[in-house]
Amino acid sequence: MTEIMEESKLINKQIEKYRPYLHFAPKENWLNDPNGLIYFKGEYHLFFQHNPYDDVWGPMHWGHAVSKDLISWEELDIALYPDELGTIFSGSAVVDWNNTTGFFPDEPGLVAIFTHHRDGDDNNPAEQTQSLAYSTDNGRTWSKYQGNPVLSHETKIDFRDPKVFWNEDTNNWIMTLATGQSISFYSSSNLIDWQFESEFGHNKGSHDGVWECPDLFKFKVQETGDEKWVLFVSIGDNGQSDMGSRTQYFVGSFDGSVFKEEHEDVRWLDFGKDNYAGVSFSDIPKQDGRRIYLGWMSNWRYANEVPTVGWRSQMTLPRELSLRKIEGKHRVIQMPVRELEHYFERTIDIGKINIDQGDNKKYKVNEPYYELFLEIDQNEENQFDIVLHHTPSMKTTIEVDTKCNSITLNRASSGKIDFSEMFLLEQSLKMDDSDILTLQIIVDTSSIEIFINGGTYAMTSLIFPDQTSQSVTLINKQGKLSINDGYISTPSNKNITY
Ligand code: FRU
């Protein structure tokens, strides 16, 4: 008896190993892209690509979770199951406030717009079409639209990931769709009949992999008040680049039909390897006014191999987006949503300190998750390491060079790493527009998210140590290191159970 109990305890321990506290992960089995992100009647909904039968990618369903604060999620029943038209690939959700579909004679409800995917065989190529499902009970149950699919293409095989929004400028629905190496825009008055508007992307941006999971939204630029549109485009892994799958963005204009980008350079949303297929929440109330997104915190290069047991993959923290003009360049800024602050309290004050060349300063942090904040004095040039010790033998090193304005994350000793050669490679970014001023680093059980200069740059990385934290050491390798202000925040007692 005790042996059996011991064994099941061990299995449970294995299953729970690496499970995050602050990030959404499925109770069981496989997860990839966030889908149908939406706010409705006091709840945030997170649907997700889900294989409920196995902890590797397989027949896709839409899993479902809800949250009141974007951080603590309750997983609900599966929302969408495969049917005769195929499995359920990525897509979005909207509130049909004005009953444009005719699905909601009584009161507004939710419509999901998603890709039906059918595998090819010897005689037929694979097929991807767009379909609808609707819910009149706050997303708890869904009916598929009888007339599915609502959009198909005769020749395009990669034809997927519809992200739909109501365009207030033109009073119609706009769909952005990934179509191979481009994004296509469609419009509709009722979500059922769709008209092709235009195609964007040939010879623009990076084409390292297939284009996937677009999103298009408008911002007021913080500095100038101008209106600009931002187009997110994720690009799949081509098996060759050292980065695997990642997300780029374009800044430009959209007149309801055509998107025009304003720059030639490729702009990456994140400089870490583990932020993919991110899209934003629909229907955030006007009085809130935020544009919030989250991504899938993994990389197609090794997503199926990461060393969790019984469940696989998690989402990034939800992040508030904004657009700023810095040194003449429009940049997407991202910061963790303010709701996260309730989960932390400042317990270790680093304050104002100087660390001489060759010296170091160590802080004991024995916590399931924590945040490290540093504001660096830019009058000095230096190279220093932030070493996040997970256990006596496992650590992640963040190398900061304030002369070159570069940051490099090295996770080669962070814990379990042998599942992919690419996992070992360093991740780095070089800032071309300003000095490194602030670093906000959020460490959870199996991830590190770094936000630099108030979110002007982000770096998101998975790690698989035996334990989250033991200590943090700041090591000054070269020059004079002056920290103007700093602190470490650890879990507040609110809400969290472990
Ligand atoms: C992106 C993606 C989407 C597709 C889904 C399938 O990660 O490849 O293009 O809809 O995953 O699970």
Side-chain angles (χ1 to χ4, degrees):
M1 187 62 189
T2 37
E3 243 172 55
I4 295 173
M5 272 166 63
E6 283 309 309
E7 198 179 317
S8 79
K9 256 201 229 155
L10 198 73
I11 292 170
N12 270 342
K13 216 172 153 191
Q14 265 182 344
I15 292 176
E16 290 319 301
K17 196 170 179 191
Y18 308 126
R19 186 174 281 286
Y21 290 101
L22 299 172
H23 297 77
F24 178 73
K27 278 190 218 134
E28 288 187 316
N29 293 318
W30 169 267
L31 163 149
N32 58 296
D33 313 354
N35 296 149
L37 302 179
I38 194 162
Y39 178 86
F40 189 52
K41 293 191 180 165
E43 284 179 328
Y44 295 94
H45 293 262
L46 160 57
F47 301 90
F48 53 92
Q49 287 287 279
H50 186 40
N51 175 6
Y53 309 114
D54 204 347
D55 59 9
V56 289
W57 191 85
M60 284 294 111
H61 296 53
W62 273 26
H64 187 196
V66 288
S67 171
K68 294 236 183 289
D69 71 351
L70 289 160
I71 308 294
S72 295
W73 294 94
E74 181 194 352
E75 193 173 331
L76 302 178
D77 292 343
I78 287 173
L80 297 176
Y81 284 83
D83 57 35
E84 64 288 352
L85 293 173
T87 54
I88 316 294
F89 270 23
S90 285
S92 52
V94 294
V95 183
D96 186 12
W97 294 108
N98 297 316
N99 195 22
T100 61
T101 51
F103 299 158
F104 308 104
D106 300 326
E107 51 174 320
L110 300 177
V111 182
I113 308 99
F114 59 89
T115 299
H116 261 124
H117 169 88
R118 225 183 347 218
D119 281 342
D121 56 31
D122 289 348
N123 303 318
N124 297 299
E127 198 186 5
Q128 300 188 334
T129 54
Q130 317 321 314
S131 290
L132 306 180
Y134 56 97
S135 169
T136 53
D137 59 359
N138 304 333
R140 276 21 182 211
T141 59
W142 292 82
S143 309
K144 302 240 177 74
Y145 172 55
Q146 294 288 318
N148 280 342
V150 295
L151 181 62
S152 47
H153 198 280
E154 291 202 342
T155 51
K156 285 196 164 141
I157 292 168
D158 290 309
F159 192 67
R160 59 175 178 269
D161 308 340
K163 180 75 164 80
V164 173
F165 68 97
W166 179 257
N167 188 4
E168 289 187 345
D169 300 345
T170 47
N171 268 317
N172 59 0
W173 298 106
I174 299 291
M175 178 195 289
T176 57
L177 195 68
T179 47
Q181 290 291 327
S182 66
I183 300 303
S184 296
F185 300 99
Y186 289 82
S187 67
S188 173
S189 60
N190 58 7
L191 295 172
I192 294 167
D193 305 300
W194 290 95
Q195 266 139 32
F196 175 75
E197 293 290 341
S198 69
E199 198 174 339
F200 167 82
H202 295 295
N203 305 317
K204 315 269 186 211
S206 167
H207 289 270
D208 276 355
V210 64
W211 283 24
E212 301 184 312
C213 299
D215 195 2
L216 176 70
F217 36 82
K218 191 163 66 172
F219 281 118
K220 251 202 169 83
V221 182
Q222 246 179 51
E223 280 73 14
T224 59
D226 292 350
E227 283 194 341
K228 298 275 171 208
W229 289 79
V230 169
L231 177 66
F232 278 15
V233 178
S234 282
I235 53 172
D237 179 24
N238 69 1
Q240 273 143 39
S241 134
D242 278 350
M243 289 304 289
S245 52
R246 51 183 168 161
T247 302
Q248 62 183 327
Y249 67 87
F250 299 90
V251 182
S253 62
F254 180 66
D255 63 4
S257 177
V258 174
F259 177 82
K260 278 203 191 99
E261 95 293 359
E262 290 179 352
H263 51 94
E264 301 209 329
D265 55 324
V266 179
R267 301 202 179 162
W268 300 112
L269 188 59
D270 199 300
F271 291 82
K273 292 211 169 85
D274 300 306
N275 183 359
Y276 191 64
V279 283
S280 67
F281 279 82
S282 183
D283 290 276
I284 302 269
K286 279 231 161 69
Q287 59 279 23
D288 180 322
R290 287 179 294 175
R291 175 65 56 182
I292 299 168
Y293 96 104
L294 52 81
W296 172 41
M297 194 152 60
S298 197
N299 193 306
W300 274 121
R301 181 68 62 87
Y302 45 66
N304 279 285
E305 282 94 43
V306 298
T308 52
V309 174
W311 62 279
R312 209 174 251 123
S313 279
Q314 54 186 301
M315 298 302 180
T316 68
L317 285 171
R319 303 172 184 183
E320 181 178 349
L321 295 170
S322 54
L323 192 65
R324 290 193 54 195
K325 195 169 182 184
I326 300 170
E327 300 272 320
K329 196 165 161 179
H330 290 105
R331 277 188 179 286
V332 170
I333 310 297
Q334 51 186 316
M335 282 297 273
V337 291
R338 58 173 177 261
E339 285 84 343
L340 189 66
E341 288 167 20
H342 297 293
Y343 291 77
F344 285 103
E345 70 198 344
R346 289 186 195 190
T347 43
I348 301 170
D349 187 32
I350 295 173
K352 193 171 164 51
I353 50 161
N354 293 318
I355 303 175
D356 290 334
Q357 187 166 317
D359 279 357
N360 65 65
K361 190 110 183 116
K362 187 169 175 173
Y363 303 90
K364 204 165 168 286
V365 192
N366 207 327
E367 300 286 350
Y369 65 84
Y370 65 97
E371 175 197 347
L372 167 67
F373 176 82
L374 294 177
E375 185 191 312
I376 298 149
D377 184 344
Q378 260 309 324
N379 294 322
E380 314 291 348
E381 279 182 354
N382 54 53
Q383 289 172 359
F384 70 99
D385 285 353
I386 304 168
V387 187
L388 312 176
H389 294 275
H390 311 297
T391 72
S393 61
M394 297 176 181
K395 62 176 185 188
T396 302
T397 306
I398 301 164
E399 294 171 19
V400 184
D401 184 331
T402 65
K403 185 163 179 231
C404 306
N405 286 317
S406 67
I407 293 184
T408 303
L409 182 137
N410 185 332
R411 58 182 174 182
S413 308
S414 59
K416 193 107 181 104
I417 45 148
D418 56 3
F419 53 90
S420 159
E421 275 174 20
M422 199 184 77
F423 197 81
L424 285 172
L425 302 178
E426 288 178 348
Q427 299 167 51
S428 58
L429 74 85
K430 192 167 161 31
M431 297 177 23
D432 53 12
D433 51 357
S434 62
D435 293 332
I436 299 170
L437 299 172
T438 61
L439 290 164
Q440 183 184 359
I441 303 172
I442 297 172
V443 186
D444 197 355
T445 322
S446 44
S447 64
I448 300 173
E449 283 159 286
I450 310 177
F451 301 91
I452 300 132
N453 288 6
T456 316
Y457 293 81
M459 191 186 266
T460 306
S461 310
L462 288 171
I463 47 165
F464 298 98
D466 287 348
Q467 163 191 306
T468 310
S469 65
Q470 193 188 35
S471 61
V472 170
T473 316
L474 307 176
I475 305 174
N476 184 6
K477 293 189 297 193
Q478 186 146 36
K480 192 168 170 235
L481 175 59
S482 300
I483 308 257
N484 285 338
D485 190 18
Y487 59 82
I488 293 171
S489 296
T490 52
S492 65
N493 291 324
K494 287 169 224 139
N495 300 322
I496 315 253
T497 42
Y498 19 66

